[in-house]
Amino acid sequence: MYMIKFLFNWKYRHFKTKIRSVERTIEDLNFKRFKIAEIREEVRKEYDNLKAKLAATEQEIKKQAENLTAPKEEVARLEDQKIVLTRDTERKLAQLKEFDLEISGCKPNQDYQDGRQGINDQLGALQELKQMLIEYVKEI
């Protein structure tokens, strides 16, 4: 019966091909989600290192401020270093938030008026589509 449907029913062939296409798209999105999670983890480690450096710099600034004999150039250098580390930390945090948005998406809010569809949402929609296609092929 399967072979007869496959040979003579063009709708059956079309929708079977469509199901395979949806399955491939699902696998592509799974791969994309995996790679984004890997990159996010690397950025998170860099963020943690920057936060630790920033905390150490702030401690050093406090110590230099208490030590009245410290050279002013050293304090100014530490202040500049603190500004650079703060800026870099904020950039890494923004990257982390962007990765989270790309994976999970978000509901409509002030920044995203229409919301944002994430990879997880796309995967859910494709799984539903696949099930609908399978049910339809059974009816053909």
Side-chain angles (χ1 to χ4, degrees), residues 57-74:
T57 303
E58 288 174 347
Q59 287 290 355
E60 187 66 26
I61 289 172
K62 281 184 185 178
K63 191 166 82 172
Q64 294 290 340
E66 292 171 1
N67 184 2
L68 299 177
T69 60
K72 295 194 185 302
E73 297 84 25
E74 179 68 19

Side-chain angles (χ1 to χ4, degrees), residues 5-139:
K5 273 188 179 182
F6 189 76
L7 288 175
F8 298 110
N9 191 339
W10 66 270
K11 285 183 185 179
Y12 183 83
R13 286 192 313 268
H14 172 74
F15 284 104
K16 282 302 245 186
T17 304
K18 191 72 125 175
I19 290 170
R20 284 192 297 275
S21 173
V22 169
E23 289 171 343
R24 288 184 182 113
T25 304
I26 288 171
E27 288 306 314
D28 288 344
L29 286 175
N30 280 328
F31 175 73
K32 184 177 180 182
R33 181 174 57 178
F34 171 76
K35 292 308 284 182
I36 289 172
E38 272 188 347
I39 294 169
R40 186 195 184 285
E41 183 61 23
E42 290 175 14
V43 171
R44 187 199 57 80
K45 287 178 184 176
E46 292 172 10
Y47 173 74
D48 289 344
N49 287 338
L50 286 172
K51 279 181 55 176
K53 287 179 185 177
L54 181 61
T57 303
E58 288 174 347
Q59 287 290 355
E60 187 66 26
I61 289 172
K62 281 184 185 178
K63 191 166 82 172
Q64 294 290 340
E66 292 171 1
N67 184 2
L68 299 177
T69 60
K72 295 194 185 302
E73 297 84 25
E74 179 68 19
V75 174
R77 184 188 65 78
L78 288 173
E79 288 291 337
D80 291 342
Q81 187 177 3
K82 178 184 173 187
I83 291 169
V84 168
L85 287 172
T86 302
R87 184 192 66 217
D88 291 346
T89 304
E90 290 170 357
R91 284 183 186 163
K92 294 294 180 189
L93 184 60
Q95 282 181 332
L96 289 173
K97 288 180 181 180
E98 187 63 32
F99 288 138
D100 290 340
L101 275 176
E102 193 165 342
I103 291 174
S104 301
C106 71
K107 301 226 183 276
N109 60 28
Q110 187 177 6
D111 295 331
Y112 301 97
Q113 298 296 329
D114 297 329
R116 186 164 170 189
Q117 188 178 27
I119 293 174
N120 292 338
D121 299 331
Q122 292 173 0
L123 283 170
L126 287 170
Q127 291 290 351
E128 289 178 22
L129 175 62
K130 180 182 169 185
Q131 289 305 315
M132 288 189 304
L133 289 170
I134 290 171
E135 292 299 317
Y136 184 69
V137 165
K138 286 179 184 177
E139 292 177 11

